Amino acid sequence: MTPVESLAKVASASTHPDEQQVNLPEFPEEILEEIFRWACNVNPPLQDAPKLLNFPVPLNERALRKRRFLRRSIILVCKTWYRIVLPYLFESVVILDQGGSRCQGLLNALEKYSFGHLVKRLNLSIQGPHFDDSWETLGKAVVSLLRHCTNLRVLTVKMHYFGLDCAFLGRLLQCTLALPSVQILDFPWHSCRGDFVAALANSTIRTTVFYPNATVARLSALRQIYIPDQFTLSRPLSGNVTSLILDSTVPYNPGHPYLSRLISTCRCLPCLRYVTIYVASVEEHNRYLESIPPTSSSYPDSLPPSVHTLGFWFHQPKSTTRAWRDFCWTLRLIHGEGIKVLCLRAETAEDLRRRHVAYETMNERLRTNGWCLETSDLHV
């Protein structure tokens, strides 16, 4: 009996409980690993050379709970499934904490079962303590937690507290820089003291949020930067940054220099090849670009010829046929002799393809521009 026939019998038995019980087919573990990686929505391995959006996207708590429930259900099936899926259970850890108790709870689990080496992505979203003497306790728990995560690749730190303790962040940053494998760091640089800058030179960090001071410029391995909406590069950044993520998700404002800001920023990065733009929605993108007629004196120049790929990350991934047709019109306003690829996240591209009229309009626009359409999940 083939594996497909065996799975068909399993499916039939699940819907007809009176039939004779059947056993699961014995797949090679390599196939099971691929199936579980897909079923558990495990992110692909990080690329050595960042191209597009190798940066953490905003959390979806509902999706997190669903993913956690699914993985726990799988590991309870049998010992083989438990052994295969266990690394996926700890590969990406998210802590939504109100004061540090969950950091301590995870630390206790990692110490007891020696699971720290399995953690590759860690997202710390912490509501800081309301008393100064509690920062030390929280700091010890978080620093100890990081020291157990010896294979950590991605770290996101969000501190939701106005009385942010600089000493706490300093200890956290020092511990992070001591980890041998951290590559992507979303960190509140603006709250750190300047005396930690010297420790950055030998860092493995290749992707981080940009802050306009000498700190980020000292990251020797830096290849990709994320620029928040309130910042703009005003002078060339030395190094080999090949990928840019530009956040333009603020509410629509006719004076908001979206395209001009993009072009001026690109010109400060001489090695730039890949650009990803954060936008709230297709409609938000259209409202700004439609307000700039091609003959206007405010019409910006083209993107540098080094830029090869232009990607869009829409926080609202789906749109209407009319909005997509307007989007195709706005692409006439984006010039760059080096652009060859327009890249959309997979969910957005699928929504576009289902709208046949808009999809045909997009294909025509791409042929006119000499571009091709590619899809990617655009996130780590």
Side-chain angles (χ1 to χ4, degrees):
M1 181 179 294
T2 66
V4 173
E5 291 171 337
S6 298
L7 287 174
K9 289 196 67 175
V10 173
S12 176
S14 65
T15 56
H16 301 83
D18 295 334
E19 293 185 6
Q20 183 178 0
Q21 184 177 1
V22 296
N23 295 321
L24 290 171
E26 294 185 2
F27 284 124
E29 286 197 12
E30 293 80 5
I31 296 180
L32 286 176
E33 288 177 0
E34 288 300 317
I35 293 173
F36 292 146
R37 177 172 285 273
W38 175 81
C40 295
N41 192 28
V42 175
N43 293 315
L46 298 178
Q47 300 175 0
D48 291 334
K51 293 183 178 180
L52 281 169
L53 188 57
N54 286 340
F55 203 75
V57 297
L59 295 174
N60 184 320
E61 293 188 37
R62 182 177 180 182
L64 289 173
R65 289 193 296 268
K66 183 178 180 181
R67 184 179 66 181
R68 184 172 62 247
F69 175 79
L70 174 63
R71 295 181 184 182
R72 287 178 175 176
S73 299
I74 293 176
I75 65 174
L76 295 176
V77 172
C78 64
K79 292 182 179 180
T80 301
W81 288 26
Y82 172 85
R83 176 168 46 81
I84 295 174
V85 177
L86 182 64
Y88 301 159
L89 193 66
F90 285 90
E91 181 176 276
S92 180
V93 176
V94 178
I95 297 179
L96 305 175
D97 212 336
Q98 294 297 319
S101 59
R102 293 185 181 178
C103 289
Q104 186 62 51
L106 176 61
L107 175 61
N108 294 339
L110 297 183
E111 290 178 338
K112 182 177 180 180
Y113 300 104
S114 301
F115 288 156
H117 68 285
L118 300 176
V119 180
K120 296 181 180 179
R121 294 170 169 85
L122 180 61
N123 189 310
L124 297 175
S125 183
I126 302 176
Q127 179 75 36
H130 296 283
F131 303 99
D132 292 339
D133 57 354
S134 300
W135 277 109
E136 183 175 357
T137 302
L138 176 61
K140 288 181 179 179
V142 175
V143 169
S144 297
L145 175 61
L146 288 178
R147 287 174 177 167
H148 278 78
C149 301
T150 53
N151 290 322
L152 194 64
R153 302 288 194 276
V154 182
L155 175 62
T156 299
V157 179
K158 301 294 184 184
M159 303 297 295
H160 308 283
Y161 183 60
F162 291 108
L164 197 58
D165 187 271
C166 291
F168 167 81
L169 279 180
R171 292 179 59 194
L172 186 58
L173 180 59
Q174 282 185 318
C175 185
T176 300
L177 297 175
L179 294 172
S181 303
V182 172
Q183 298 181 39
I184 299 176
L185 179 63
D186 184 2
F187 199 84
W189 294 100
H190 57 279
S191 298
C192 295
R193 297 202 308 261
D195 54 354
F196 294 111
V197 173
L200 300 175
N202 297 323
S203 173
T204 57
I205 296 169
R206 60 177 175 79
T207 300
T208 189
V209 63
F210 174 77
Y211 186 66
N213 59 18
T215 302
V216 173
R218 288 177 176 262
L219 294 169
S220 58
L222 190 65
R223 296 295 179 269
Q224 180 174 244
I225 56 173
Y226 167 88
I227 300 186
D229 183 78
Q230 64 268 33
F231 295 135
T232 299
L233 276 176
S234 57
R235 57 184 179 179
L237 182 66
S238 60
N240 297 312
V241 174
T242 60
S243 181
L244 166 69
I245 304 159
L246 190 73
D247 192 336
S248 294
T249 55
V250 297
Y252 170 66
N253 184 336
H256 182 57
Y258 161 32
L259 192 54
S260 299
R261 174 171 169 254
L262 170 65
I263 291 173
S264 62
T265 300
C266 289
R267 288 178 173 174
C268 295
L269 301 169
C271 299
L272 190 64
R273 288 180 55 79
Y274 305 93
V275 173
T276 305
I277 304 170
Y278 268 19
V279 189
S281 63
V282 175
E283 291 82 358
E284 198 71 32
H285 162 87
N286 295 343
R287 277 195 290 271
Y288 176 70
L289 291 192
E290 286 172 351
S291 67
I292 306 178
T295 57
S296 171
S297 59
S298 63
Y299 181 68
D301 296 327
S302 61
L303 294 170
S306 62
V307 177
H308 175 273
T309 301
L310 178 65
F312 286 92
W313 172 273
F314 297 112
H315 282 260
Q316 299 176 20
K318 299 181 180 181
S319 191
T320 64
T321 297
R322 179 178 178 178
W324 275 121
R325 296 181 67 179
D326 291 342
F327 177 83
C328 296
W329 184 89
T330 64
L331 291 180
R332 297 187 302 175
L333 302 175
I334 302 178
H335 299 279
E337 61 182 87
I339 299 178
K340 301 300 180 184
V341 177
L342 174 69
C343 189
L344 302 175
R345 60 189 285 196
E347 188 177 359
T348 299
E350 183 62 28
D351 178 67
L352 173 61
R353 290 191 179 100
R354 286 198 297 264
R355 305 176 188 279
H356 302 294
V357 174
Y359 189 49
E360 286 301 318
T361 304
M362 173 66 79
N363 284 331
E364 181 180 350
R365 172 49 51 191
L366 293 176
R367 284 193 296 268
T368 301
N369 287 7
W371 303 354
C372 65
L373 179 64
E374 291 185 0
T375 62
S376 170
D377 284 339
L378 290 176
H379 66 89
V380 295

